[in-house]
Amino acid sequence: MSHQSDALPKGFLAESLGRIKPSPTIAVSQRARDLKAQGKDVIGLGAGEPDFDTPDNIKEAAIAAIRRGETKYTAVEGIPELRAAVARKFKRENGLDYKPSQCFVSPGGKNIIYNAMTATLNKGDEVIVVAPYWVSYPDIVLLSGAQPVIIETSLEDGFRLTPNALDKAITRKTKWLIFNQPSNPTGACYTREQLKALTDVLLKHPHVWVLTDDMYEHLVYGGFEFSTIAQVEPELYHRTLTTNGVSKAYAMTGWRIGYCGGPEPLIKAMAKLQSQSASNATSISQWASVEALDGPQGFIPKFQRAFEERRDLVVSMLNQASGIECPTPEGAFYVYPSIRKLIGKKSPSGHEIATDSKGNLYIAQTTAGLQKLTFKGMSPASR
Ligand SMILES: Cc1ncc(COP(=O)(O)O)c(C=O)c1O
């Protein structure tokens, strides 16, 4: 047996790794899994994951693909059938004309964003990210050696980016705006008019590209109508990457399929990168995703209704807890309560609530009826 230490030699790890932190949502989800494995009664609300099962027609399509022997490498960009289904989806649901050659498939929506950023960013480039943001955006940018530029939004503005704040944040170095709505974690959504006000700003800055993360487009409530940037301002089509995936809308988080539509040279660059990393998304998941996008869509409104009922329950419970203010999110499946009125106060167990992360822990432990829940929106994991 070797007596050598298994510590890594100094300087062994890439410097880029030192710039990022492990995904906090993945960490909190693992903690919930570990507690469950110990027999604890825990509901993990860390990662954004529908608790519904993948619909049967989608599972059957995957089983049929296995039986047909669709178990080999595929084209890097995705099987032609899925790229065509993605193009149809963009036309049908977003009024966007993308040819299949402009559509690209990757193992998960996160990997689409990773590919787009890694294929385009250089040291010194800036990427605008709207806070509160999904945890991965700044770290994906940092991995490329570029600089995330964070625009803060407020509860009073409904956590929406304002045209003025966007205009001010753009510099010569800005390469991308990452724009996510419905937002993880605030649930903020933008009407066509609100989007138009932002696209007017972008039209003034022809060097800025937009990555729209439309992952939650189907999870909107109260009759809200989703629109996406390239649809609202066709002049931005040539510098927009419209990204999406099957994870949330079709309860397929574990299948790992994300997709996007955009200018062909960018798609080719992303494919070049993926050809030297993941190669292709899983063949079986790709066939399941063809069925998800082309098959019956009737379960989406059912998922929506269930999420809306839960949202209303959770928001009303949080607002009954003294000191907590929780706006009603218009989309996605998160809540983003403010505990600012509790900062400096003592929890029932006598601990001072000094920061939002400490405060959230005590509140999660002590708020009547909520003891078992760890709210994504209440933890720094969602910042
Ligand atoms: C806003 C947003 N974009 C992208 C993703 C990534 O989705 P996927 O699981 O397909 O990688 C998530 C997952 O939580 C998300 O919340």
Side-chain angles (χ1 to χ4, degrees), residues 161-167 170 177 179 190-205 229 232-233 236:
L161 173 64
T162 62
N164 193 22
L166 173 61
D167 202 30
I170 293 174
L177 160 68
F179 186 73
Y190 294 67
T191 62
R192 262 191 108 86
E193 292 66 38
Q194 285 162 341
L195 287 180
K196 192 78 189 59
L198 296 174
T199 59
D200 284 349
V201 173
L202 292 166
L203 286 178
K204 291 197 303 179
H205 303 279
I229 295 257
V232 169
E233 181 45 82
L236 290 177

Side-chain angles (χ1 to χ4, degrees), residues 176-177 179 202 208-212 229 236 239-242:
W176 287 96
L177 160 68
F179 186 73
L202 292 166
V208 179
W209 284 56
V210 193
L211 182 150
T212 70
I229 295 257
L236 290 177
R239 49 182 168 115
T240 299
L241 187 70
T242 305

Side-chain angles (χ1 to χ4, degrees), residues 339-340 342-345 351-363 378 380 383:
I339 64 153
R340 62 185 163 190
L342 296 176
I343 298 290
K345 300 239 159 79
H351 295 92
E352 189 188 333
I353 298 172
T355 65
D356 62 348
S357 48
K358 281 263 159 70
N360 291 333
L361 182 67
Y362 298 137
I363 290 161
M378 296 170 76
R383 300 282 308 271

Side-chain angles (χ1 to χ4, degrees), residues 38-166:
Q38 291 165 23
K40 301 250 162 66
D41 186 12
V42 167
I43 303 171
L45 295 178
E49 183 154 65
D51 58 339
F52 306 113
D53 202 5
T54 305
D56 280 341
N57 61 311
I58 299 175
K59 288 187 192 169
E60 290 305 329
I63 293 165
I66 295 175
R67 295 222 161 97
R68 284 198 311 277
E70 308 278 9
T71 52
K72 307 279 197 284
Y73 291 128
T74 75
V76 170
E77 300 85 347
I79 54 174
E81 291 80 356
L82 182 52
R83 296 175 88 191
V86 167
R88 280 191 292 276
K89 175 260 174 283
F90 280 134
K91 182 71 187 162
R92 181 178 70 238
E93 296 185 343
N94 309 111
L96 288 172
D97 285 305
Y98 288 120
K99 294 189 287 241
S101 58
Q102 292 179 274
C103 298
F104 179 76
V105 177
S106 208
K110 187 187 270 182
N111 211 54
I112 290 276
I113 300 166
Y114 179 84
N115 278 343
M117 292 299 120
T118 307
T120 57
L121 291 178
N122 293 309
K123 197 161 176 271
D125 288 338
E126 293 178 355
V127 177
I128 295 177
V129 174
V130 184
Y133 44 74
W134 178 47
V135 283
S136 293
Y137 300 138
D139 289 51
I140 289 174
V141 171
L142 286 167
L143 263 181
S144 298
Q147 195 53 43
V149 172
I150 310 298
I151 305 184
E152 299 289 340
T153 60
S154 65
L155 184 71
E156 289 68 31
D157 283 336
F159 295 113
R160 278 187 210 90
L161 173 64
T162 62
N164 193 22
L166 173 61

Side-chain angles (χ1 to χ4, degrees), residues 19 109 224 283 293:
R19 293 198 284 269
F224 182 86
S283 56
L293 295 179

